[in-house]
Amino acid sequence: MAFTRIVILVTLLLNFLGSTLLGQTQSSTKKDIDKLIYKASKLRESGNFEKSLLITRIALRKAIFIKNNELIAKNYNVVASNYNELMEFDKAIFYYNKALIFANLTSNDSIKERINNNLGNMYCFEKKKYEKGIEFYKKALEYSKAIPDSSQMALTNLNITWAYFDIGRFRNGKYNLDFLNRFHNKHEDSSTIVIRKMLNGMYYSYSKENDKADKYFLEAIKIGQEQNNKSDLSYAHLEYSKFLLKQKAYKEAYENLSLYNRLTEEMFAEVKSVKANIAGVNFELDEYKRAIDKIESEKYLQYKSLKKSRLIVLLFVIVLFVLLLFLNSLIKNNKYRRKSNLDLMHANKELIIANKKAEELSHLKTQFVSTISHELRTPLYGVVGITDLLLEEHQELATSPHLNSLKFSARYLLSLVNDILQINKMDENKIVLERLTFNILDELNMIKNSLSFIAQKNKNTIYIDVDPTIPESLIGDKLRFAQIFMNLVSNALKFTNNGEVWIVVKQTKIKGNIHTLEFSVEDNGIGIAPIDKDKIFDKFVQVGRKEIDYQGTGLGLSIVKRLLELFGSTISVESELGKGTVFRFAIDFEYDKVKATEIINDIDINLTFGQTFNVLIVEDNLINQVITKKTIERNNYSCTVVEDGYAALEILNTEVFDVILMDINMPLINGFETSRRIRQNGIETPIIALTAFDKNEITEEAIAAGMNDIIVKPFEPLQLFKIINCLIQNAKSVV
């Protein structure tokens, strides 16, 4: 039976080969090729990219054979449109340019207009090369004037308006928007109405006519929802969120941004699924592209080879039948073994799918961590910076426990955010403890003051008992130490009412310069049930929430356990329901009077060389601009602030600076690209990346862009000035 099926398959294959070869010797008509192109276009619009590309391949071969430049241009345009839909933008641009070459050999203004418009879309919205893309749009508009169907002119006007608005050139795009608004009844259809409404909203947002802007944005979103047009609807939500953010409607802005992200992820998932199904077709088209190039230069030789193909086919048939006889015997002998192999392949496919899903989840987690890290560090930079400014400008508040507690709490929150977001790095032992001098009693008192509002809320009293034999200055990671106690003490206060919380520190052992301290945090609160003791150190676990919602993430004790592991310690718990809980652990700290003095002396560095340095700050966030500028000017440096990369490039053409502080995440042009262009212009001024991104995530790209160092916000001013002075000194020594 299997052999019979193979014979039938071979017969059909030979018939197909024969008909194909015969067909290639006959001249296909323009009408037949146009039908194939139309069918391929419809298949692309319906999302059947695989079949669309295959049909285009056949049509392209026929068009090249009859040497019809217009049909060749149309085919390449369809191929490029498929790759555009699949987000393979480099391939799309390649084939659009190929199409334009052949289109320019014709007198068909319509196809020239369409291809120029498509290239404008590629460079403006996918490659973000707006100037180049706008030039293509302008060419498209010139061709559209000679086309009876003015709907193409409307579409190009829509695209060029969007491009101008994206780069903030609203005045340039106003003329094109006016054209759309005047003739929308004549030209507009369901594919353009959402974007036209959105563009009107963007313009009125720019001109501060907020009521009109809000009206147009809501109309765009409503129509997009009715049409279920995910692409246009997603952009409407994105631009509306920007408008709402300007109006300080943060909640609504966040909701619209979330809708944009969800729609984008859905579209990306759909395209990714389709791309996976046509991977083989892409490979075939790449191979065929090379074959087409050869056909274009060697048509005559190819025609001669076709005459000899019948003999080749005949020989192929003879050889194939011999092979089929041998194959038939192999099929019979390996029937049972093949079944086992199929089962194994099925299991392997499931494993590959599971592995891909795990990789995708890991990537999403990394992306989430990076995004949250950046979004949280930015406002924390504002809190820490403004607190420093208050202390600097109002020295009478220097002794205020409230302001000092605010500053400490902000810095603790930053440390907590970093540890929570990088808890996966703890598993890989990538966190290294710092060596700083600190006083145990001072740290505990600061923690007590910071948590006083929780204590007052639950009517609790915090007591601190520190062994007087403990040295005043110990060396260790005081931020990690503080984080441990913030978690333990806040937990104790949260689960205690009208009670007491005791923090007890005893020195239990001294060996050389290592002092072993035993810590305990004790409360007389609700206690922990025996069944829950083994769970409390797990992630996202909360116990005792049946009657009262104590809130919290359930990460506190998990982080405490991980941090103590970094200190080489473990934690124990004793508890009884209704009587309270005691947590105990021990940590080794170093006491070395000489080293402590060295660390303190290292801090007292000379921040200047008796000179006034000229600093350029490139930062789009207004609060961050104020904080960074104030911080720089407090050190008697002169300071200039610009809001984006283009402004930085412009001012560097006329002014000289000693150092540049460069934000990374900026609109229009990011910090990496700005730095790259600065270096391309021959400017060697040191560049420091001043960013809220995790340093490990951007180091490689920062170096490639020509940056000299990275400092993560929030930062200690002392650290910033030390890096600035070091880079300036190195730059001057080179000169």
Side-chain angles (χ1 to χ4, degrees):
M1 181 65 71
F3 180 77
T4 304
R5 288 198 299 268
I6 293 172
V7 171
I8 294 171
L9 179 62
V10 171
T11 304
L12 292 172
L13 176 62
L14 293 174
N15 288 334
F16 174 76
L17 287 172
S19 63
T20 301
L21 293 172
L22 181 62
Q24 288 181 346
T25 63
Q26 300 173 350
S27 177
S28 300
T29 66
K30 182 178 183 297
K31 185 176 181 181
D32 293 334
I33 299 172
D34 267 325
K35 286 181 179 179
L36 289 173
I37 295 171
Y38 177 80
K39 185 176 181 181
S41 298
K42 288 299 179 183
L43 287 168
R44 176 189 62 79
E45 292 172 2
S46 65
N48 193 341
F49 305 109
E50 179 179 4
K51 197 166 183 180
S52 174
L53 287 169
L54 288 173
I55 291 175
T56 307
R57 174 182 175 181
I58 297 170
L60 186 58
R61 178 183 288 273
K62 292 177 181 289
I64 290 174
F65 188 82
I66 66 173
K67 301 179 182 179
N68 188 308
N69 293 326
E70 181 178 326
L71 293 176
I72 294 172
K74 287 182 178 179
N75 273 289
Y76 278 130
N77 185 61
V78 174
V79 173
S81 297
N82 274 284
Y83 280 121
N84 183 15
E85 293 286 342
L86 294 168
M87 295 186 181
E88 295 280 352
F89 303 123
D90 289 333
K91 289 184 179 180
I93 290 172
F94 173 86
Y95 284 108
Y96 279 135
N97 279 311
K98 194 89 169 176
L100 190 57
I101 290 171
F102 286 94
N104 287 334
L105 298 175
T106 73
S107 59
N108 188 328
D109 290 330
S110 179
I111 187 66
K112 293 177 187 177
E113 194 280 340
R114 187 178 300 112
I115 295 170
N116 276 285
N117 179 74
N118 291 339
L119 280 167
N121 290 340
M122 289 292 96
Y123 283 107
C124 284
F125 301 117
E126 309 304 342
K127 290 299 185 178
K128 303 303 180 185
K129 296 180 180 179
Y130 287 95
E131 295 300 330
K132 190 170 184 178
I134 288 170
E135 287 303 314
F136 279 108
Y137 284 142
K138 289 179 179 178
K139 290 180 182 178
L141 288 174
E142 290 176 6
Y143 287 120
S144 67
K145 294 175 182 177
I147 302 172
D149 181 9
S150 57
S151 61
Q152 284 296 112
M153 181 184 291
L155 183 60
T156 304
N157 272 286
L158 185 84
N159 291 332
I160 197 172
T161 302
W162 198 350
Y164 276 131
F165 285 8
D166 264 2
I167 58 176
R169 292 166 60 179
F170 289 88
R171 293 183 179 179
N172 297 89
K174 182 64 165 58
Y175 169 83
N176 305 93
L177 181 61
D178 288 340
F179 174 89
L180 293 172
N181 288 331
R182 286 197 306 271
F183 299 100
H184 71 89
N185 289 330
K186 179 180 179 182
H187 300 297
E188 193 165 81
D189 57 24
S190 60
S191 65
T192 61
I193 185 170
V194 174
I195 298 302
R196 185 183 68 81
K197 296 282 188 181
M198 181 194 77
L199 292 174
N200 275 281
M202 293 172 67
Y203 179 80
Y204 286 119
S205 173
Y206 157 76
S207 61
K208 294 184 171 52
E209 295 180 67
N210 297 330
D211 291 338
K212 289 185 179 180
D214 190 79
K215 171 180 171 292
Y216 275 108
F217 278 127
L218 291 176
E219 287 177 358
I221 290 171
K222 180 181 178 183
I223 296 170
Q225 291 171 340
E226 291 172 353
Q227 294 179 350
N228 195 25
N229 187 329
K230 292 183 180 180
S231 177
D232 293 348
L233 179 59
S234 68
Y235 288 121
H237 279 300
L238 176 63
E239 296 301 334
Y240 191 37
S241 72
K242 295 178 183 178
F243 167 74
L244 291 170
L245 190 62
K246 288 169 60 177
Q247 307 308 310
K248 299 183 180 181
Y250 300 114
K251 180 180 178 183
E252 292 82 358
Y254 174 78
E255 291 172 350
N256 277 272
L257 186 59
S258 298
L259 289 170
Y260 163 76
N261 289 331
R262 178 175 62 79
L263 290 168
T264 304
E265 289 171 0
E266 290 175 1
M267 291 187 292
F268 179 77
E270 292 170 1
V271 172
K272 186 175 181 181
S273 173
V274 173
K275 287 174 69 177
N277 292 333
I278 69 161
V281 177
N282 289 345
F283 175 77
E284 287 182 17
L285 282 171
D286 289 341
E287 290 295 318
Y288 187 68
K289 179 177 73 67
R290 288 187 282 272
I292 291 298
D293 293 337
K294 188 175 181 181
I295 288 171
E296 291 173 358
S297 61
E298 300 177 328
K299 293 183 179 70
Y300 177 73
L301 292 176
Q302 188 181 52
Y303 176 75
K304 289 182 66 177
S305 67
L306 287 173
K307 291 183 178 180
K308 301 177 182 178
S309 61
R310 291 185 180 180
L311 178 60
I312 295 172
V313 170
L314 181 60
L315 293 174
F316 173 74
V317 170
I318 296 171
V319 173
L320 186 60
F321 269 99
V322 173
L323 291 174
L324 285 174
L325 291 173
F326 177 71
L327 180 62
N328 183 50
S329 63
L330 287 178
I331 291 172
K332 291 180 179 179
N333 292 332
N334 294 283
K335 184 176 180 180
Y336 294 106
R337 199 163 114 194
R338 184 178 61 183
K339 185 178 181 302
S340 299
N341 288 338
L342 288 173
D343 292 340
L344 182 60
M345 288 174 62
H346 179 70
N348 189 48
K349 286 181 180 178
E350 291 182 346
L351 182 61
I352 291 172
I353 292 171
N355 185 52
K356 285 183 178 178
K357 288 182 179 179
E359 290 177 355
E360 289 176 2
L361 288 173
S362 177
H363 176 71
L364 287 173
K365 176 185 175 185
T366 302
Q367 198 172 40
F368 171 78
V369 167
S370 176
T371 302
I372 292 299
S373 174
H374 180 271
E375 293 304 318
L376 289 177
R377 284 187 181 121
T378 298
L380 280 174
Y381 178 56
V383 174
V384 173
I386 290 172
T387 305
D388 287 337
L389 291 178
L390 286 172
L391 289 170
E392 178 72 20
E393 296 176 1
H394 301 276
Q395 295 185 359
E396 69 275 10
L397 298 176
T399 58
S400 169
H402 304 298
L403 199 56
N404 285 320
S405 294
L406 173 63
K407 182 177 180 180
F408 177 83
S409 297
R411 295 188 179 280
Y412 159 71
L413 181 58
L414 174 65
S415 176
L416 177 62
V417 166
N418 290 338
D419 284 340
I420 292 175
L421 296 178
Q422 298 179 17
I423 197 166
N424 58 319
K425 293 184 180 180
M426 289 184 177
D427 296 330
E428 301 173 6
N429 298 318
K430 290 187 176 180
I431 294 180
V432 179
L433 295 178
E434 296 181 355
R435 289 171 53 78
L436 302 168
T437 59
F438 70 104
N439 180 278
I440 291 287
L441 185 58
D442 288 346
E443 290 297 318
L444 294 178
N445 279 323
M446 186 65 74
I447 292 166
K448 175 182 176 181
N449 293 334
S450 298
L451 297 176
S452 60
F453 70 98
I454 301 178
Q456 293 170 3
K457 178 182 177 182
N458 290 351
K459 299 179 181 179
N460 294 320
T461 304
I462 303 174
Y463 297 98
I464 298 175
D465 182 7
V466 176
D467 190 338
T469 63
I470 297 174
E472 287 189 6
S473 297
L474 295 174
I475 299 175
D477 193 326
K478 66 176 183 178
L479 288 178
R480 312 288 180 188
F481 171 80
Q483 188 174 341
I484 291 169
F485 272 92
M486 288 289 283
N487 278 300
L488 290 175
V489 177
S490 63
N491 260 8
L493 292 169
K494 187 166 60 173
F495 292 98
T496 304
N497 282 290
N498 297 311
E500 300 175 349
V501 174
W502 281 87
I503 304 172
V504 181
V505 187
K506 297 180 181 178
Q507 185 168 257
T508 58
K509 185 171 63 175
I510 302 175
K511 187 176 181 180
N513 60 348
I514 302 300
H515 291 240
T516 301
L517 307 185
E518 183 181 86
F519 301 90
S520 65
V521 178
E522 181 177 354
D523 66 69
N524 54 1
I526 64 173
I528 304 170
I531 193 173
D532 292 326
K533 284 185 181 179
D534 294 332
K535 304 178 190 175
I536 59 174
F537 295 105
D538 294 336
K539 297 176 186 175
F540 306 109
V541 171
Q542 287 253 331
V543 299
R545 298 186 66 169
K546 294 181 180 179
E547 297 179 0
I548 303 175
D549 184 4
Y550 293 101
Q551 301 182 356
T553 63
L555 280 173
L557 292 178
S558 175
I559 292 174
V560 167
K561 183 180 178 182
R562 297 292 185 88
L563 290 175
L564 285 173
E565 288 173 357
L566 292 176
F567 281 103
S569 179
T570 58
I571 188 168
S572 64
V573 57
E574 301 172 8
S575 184
E576 187 176 344
L577 284 175
K579 293 188 177 180
T581 305
V582 181
F583 290 94
R584 288 193 176 87
F585 56 91
I587 300 179
D588 292 337
F589 289 104
E590 183 181 354
Y591 172 67
D592 189 319
K593 189 173 182 179
V594 175
K595 285 187 178 180
T597 303
E598 288 178 356
I599 293 174
I600 294 172
N601 290 338
D602 286 343
I603 296 174
D604 299 325
I605 62 172
N606 181 18
L607 294 179
T608 69
F609 303 120
Q611 303 177 37
T612 299
F613 295 131
N614 195 10
V615 181
L616 175 63
I617 299 173
V618 188
E619 169 67 68
D620 65 309
N621 185 289
L622 294 177
I623 295 176
N624 291 352
Q625 287 177 4
V626 173
I627 294 169
T628 307
K629 188 173 188 293
K630 289 276 189 180
T631 302
I632 294 298
E633 291 177 343
R634 286 209 312 268
N635 203 51
N636 297 321
Y637 291 175
S638 63
C639 181
T640 302
V641 179
V642 294
E643 295 183 350
D644 57 64
Y646 288 118
L649 291 168
E650 184 176 347
I651 197 172
L652 285 169
N653 287 331
T654 57
E655 296 186 34
V656 177
F657 296 89
D658 294 296
V659 69
I660 302 169
L661 303 183
M662 180 74 67
D663 188 24
I664 298 297
N665 192 20
M666 296 186 294
L668 302 182
I669 177 172
N670 64 33
F672 296 130
E673 181 61 24
T674 303
S675 300
R676 198 173 289 111
R677 295 191 185 185
I678 290 171
R679 296 301 184 230
Q680 289 172 355
N681 292 341
I683 299 171
E684 299 298 330
T685 304
I687 302 174
I688 301 173
L690 204 62
T691 178
F693 284 109
D694 186 85
K695 186 174 182 178
N696 294 330
E697 295 178 6
I698 65 169
T699 298
E700 185 175 341
E701 190 170 0
I703 293 172
M707 293 180 167
N708 301 89
D709 211 327
I710 301 168
I711 186 166
V712 178
K713 298 183 287 193
F715 55 82
E716 290 288 346
L718 189 64
Q719 180 189 8
L720 174 63
F721 294 131
K722 188 174 182 180
I723 292 174
I724 289 176
N725 292 336
C726 181
L727 289 176
I728 294 175
Q729 187 180 31
N730 290 341
K732 291 188 176 182
S733 65
V734 171
V735 175

